[in-house]
Amino acid sequence: MGITFKEEVTMGENASQKKYLKFYQKLAYGSGDLASNCSYGLVSSFLLLYLTSVMGMNSAVIGTLMLVSKCVDGVTDVFFGNIIDRTHSKMGKARPWMLYAQIGVSGCLALLFSVPAGMGRTAQYAYFFVFYTCLNAIFYTANGIAYSSLTALITKNPNERVQLGSFRFMFAVVTNIVLGFAVTSAVSAFGGGANGWRMVAIVFAIIALVVNTISVLAVKELPDEEVTVKEDGKSAEDKLSFLDTIKVLLKNKYYLMIVAIYIVYYIMSNLVTGSGVFFATYYLGNEGIYGLLNMMKMFPVIFALIIAPFIIKKVGNMQKVNTWAYGISCVLGIPLIYAAVTKNITLFLIILFVKGVFAGFLSGSLNAFIAEASAYTTRTTGIRMEGTMYSCSSLGVKIGGGIGTAAVGWLLAVGGFVNDAAVQTAGATNMILWIYLIIPVLIGVLITYLLSRLDVEKANQKWDEEHLSLIHI
């Protein structure tokens, strides 16, 4: 039998202090993002280069197919989240999806970098579209949502959830740094050309499969009877239709706020990423500094992820820490713009690093915020829907990333940017400054405001206090 609401509420305070995970389990969980970024990083950074430069395919056609695929991809997030919520197995709800979906991810990754040269051009585009869509809309989505939802399913300790977020983002950052330095060299080591890219994709597919399996097997979901409220032998979520589940989801204002944060965060992130090389080349006049700019964005995040759990534990409130940290990051955006305008590179890099430390706190906390929002739904409705709740991360990344990437091209065109021009007009360089620095600062203000309203921890504590007092009476 499942536990009752009164029993769960009574256990709530003890659960927030209890330690559920050992260090190696936190580390193993975080390594799941290494597996994830072996596919995501390789595809997002190098697939277009492979298809155009090696296979000779048209970039405009590929871009259009990617856009169509993303439209399909966008509707599968909540669907898979709902399926995960309804899964009952010996491995739990999320772990089987994370384990077996990776087989599809690795298979599709290898196939995407193995476009048959003997095919006609139309068949090659169809081949690309099918496996690109299968990778993203089916397997990567199922794996990613399951992986994220484990944060709420393997521990009920808020500080451990923050630590899990920190570990996974550290693995993500390190993996992307390694990809940036290693991929092209590895392609050359395998003889270059189509065969070189195919072999590199196979190697990364195997690494991802092995690491993902270790990550899954190293942790255990909490027993179903401990975390699921049941009536008549069925959990509340089992009784809901898919449409009813969506209605419950949309009634949670904290879910909607987190989706909004994800969307605007990834709009900002993709604006910066997409315009970085233009900023270094045309605004600062030094293309070689682009790699240094990226390093000064990544390393502060690692530092932030290391110290964030300790500070949050000391303060006792994620919202407060993240609101102040992101607010300080926004303020630092003003002297950062000044350093860019005056071309003071040394000052620019120093401020960029410090700014990144404060902004990096949020990277390790987002999953923990979703877990709190999921707990709020459980408290107020009696329904557990971790998988569906964690769809907000995948949904926000896709919507925000798509808008941000497209916006770079749109805004450059508005500014009068000319592809082949060695020197750009003042309007184009000013637009590059706006894309890379000014608009992200404005978006940062919006994120800070949303964080200031995201008082889900306080709402959960208030609910517990009210219902515990009724129990004690």
Side-chain angles (χ1 to χ4, degrees):
M1 289 182 61
I3 61 175
T4 66
F5 265 121
K6 288 187 176 182
E7 290 171 330
E8 182 170 27
V9 173
T10 304
M11 290 160 48
E13 290 184 340
N14 292 332
S16 67
Q17 301 299 323
K18 178 182 176 181
K19 292 184 178 180
Y20 292 83
L21 303 171
K22 297 178 180 178
F23 178 79
Y24 82 87
Q25 292 178 305
K26 298 173 188 176
L27 191 66
Y29 173 84
S31 71
D33 237 319
L34 186 157
S36 177
N37 279 278
C38 278
S39 55
Y40 182 82
L42 197 64
V43 169
S44 62
S45 298
F46 298 101
L47 180 60
L48 185 59
L49 176 66
Y50 160 76
L51 293 174
T52 55
S53 299
V54 178
M55 301 308 300
M57 298 167 72
N58 185 281
S59 61
V61 176
I62 294 168
T64 302
L65 291 174
M66 285 181 171
L67 180 61
V68 174
S69 179
K70 285 295 183 183
C71 292
V72 177
D73 192 5
V75 302
T76 60
D77 298 285
V78 177
F79 173 76
F80 275 111
N82 185 255
I83 289 179
I84 290 170
D85 283 330
R86 295 171 183 272
T87 298
H88 302 283
S89 73
K90 291 182 179 180
M91 290 183 66
K93 291 177 176 290
R95 290 170 71 226
W97 287 96
M98 181 179 171
L99 179 65
Y100 297 118
Q102 182 60 46
I103 298 173
V105 171
S106 292
C108 288
L109 178 63
L111 290 168
L112 273 175
F113 284 88
S114 304
V115 178
M119 275 185 170
R121 188 62 79 196
T122 301
Q124 286 181 331
Y125 287 126
Y127 175 99
F128 157 74
F129 179 78
V130 168
F131 288 111
Y132 182 79
T133 302
C134 286
L135 171 67
N136 288 288
I138 300 175
F139 299 115
Y140 188 82
T141 295
N143 174 271
I145 294 176
Y147 177 47
S148 295
S149 63
L150 276 179
T151 303
L153 294 172
I154 61 178
T155 177
K156 297 170 77 173
N157 185 310
N159 193 57
E160 284 188 334
R161 289 171 175 173
V162 174
Q163 291 173 346
L164 292 177
S166 295
F167 274 111
R168 67 174 294 185
F169 276 98
M170 281 190 279
F171 272 101
V173 170
V174 171
T175 303
N176 280 290
I177 291 174
V178 172
L179 282 171
F181 284 106
V183 169
T184 53
S185 299
V187 171
S188 298
F190 281 113
N195 184 65
W197 282 101
R198 179 169 56 252
M199 292 305 299
V200 167
I202 291 172
V203 169
F204 278 102
I206 293 172
I207 292 173
L209 186 59
V210 171
V211 174
N212 182 82
T213 301
I214 293 172
S215 182
V216 171
L217 298 181
V219 298
K220 286 187 176 182
E221 295 182 27
L222 298 176
D224 190 58
E225 60 269 16
E226 179 179 343
V227 298
T228 304
V229 180
K230 294 185 176 181
E231 292 178 26
D232 303 324
K234 287 188 176 182
S235 59
E237 60 268 22
D238 288 335
K239 299 180 179 181
L240 293 179
S241 67
F242 179 71
L243 183 59
D244 289 334
T245 300
I246 299 300
K247 290 179 180 179
V248 172
L249 191 70
L250 296 179
K251 287 180 180 179
N252 187 332
K253 66 177 181 179
Y254 299 114
Y255 172 85
L256 299 178
M257 291 169 69
I258 294 171
V259 170
I261 289 173
Y262 262 102
I263 291 174
V264 296
Y265 179 87
Y266 278 93
I267 289 175
M268 176 186 66
S269 177
N270 280 267
L271 283 173
V272 173
T273 301
S275 63
V277 67
F278 298 98
F279 178 77
T281 304
Y282 297 106
Y283 195 87
L284 297 181
N286 184 355
E287 183 179 357
I289 204 174
Y290 173 62
L292 185 57
L293 293 179
N294 275 343
M295 296 292 284
M296 296 300 281
K297 287 192 304 178
M298 292 179 179
F299 281 120
V301 175
I302 296 177
F303 181 70
L305 294 175
I306 293 172
I307 64 174
F310 300 102
I311 295 177
I312 290 173
K313 184 177 181 180
K314 181 72 173 178
V315 175
N317 185 280
M318 282 190 299
Q319 181 204 13
K320 186 179 296 184
V321 172
N322 279 279
T323 301
W324 276 99
Y326 221 89
I328 293 171
S329 175
C330 289
V331 173
L332 288 172
I334 298 173
L336 186 68
I337 295 170
Y338 170 79
V341 172
T342 58
K343 303 299 192 294
N344 189 332
I345 304 301
T346 301
L347 178 62
F348 183 85
L349 292 174
I350 292 172
I351 298 173
L352 186 64
F353 182 90
V354 177
K355 184 177 186 298
V357 172
F358 286 103
F361 276 60
L362 185 59
S363 298
S365 302
L366 277 172
N367 268 9
F369 273 122
I370 301 173
E372 288 288 339
S374 179
Y376 180 79
T377 292
T378 303
R379 283 170 166 81
T380 56
T381 67
I383 301 168
R384 303 199 76 91
M385 46 195 306
E386 284 87 359
T388 308
M389 289 295 300
Y390 273 90
S391 68
C392 68
S393 59
S394 180
L395 184 64
V397 170
K398 290 170 183 175
I399 295 175
I403 294 173
T405 300
V408 173
W410 298 335
L411 292 170
L412 285 175
V414 170
F417 182 84
V418 180
N419 287 331
D420 299 327
V423 179
Q424 298 294 332
T425 64
T429 55
N430 285 334
M431 180 58 76
I432 290 170
L433 178 68
W434 272 84
I435 299 172
Y436 189 78
L437 287 179
I438 300 177
I439 296 177
V441 169
L442 297 177
I443 293 176
V445 173
L446 176 58
I447 292 174
T448 304
Y449 171 75
L450 289 171
L451 287 170
S452 72
R453 308 295 296 174
L454 191 59
D455 59 344
V456 61
E457 297 160 281
K458 183 178 179 181
N460 284 336
Q461 291 169 1
K462 181 179 179 181
W463 193 95
D464 287 349
E465 289 170 0
E466 292 175 350
H467 288 75
L468 280 171
S469 63
L470 291 176
I471 292 171
H472 293 321
I473 292 173

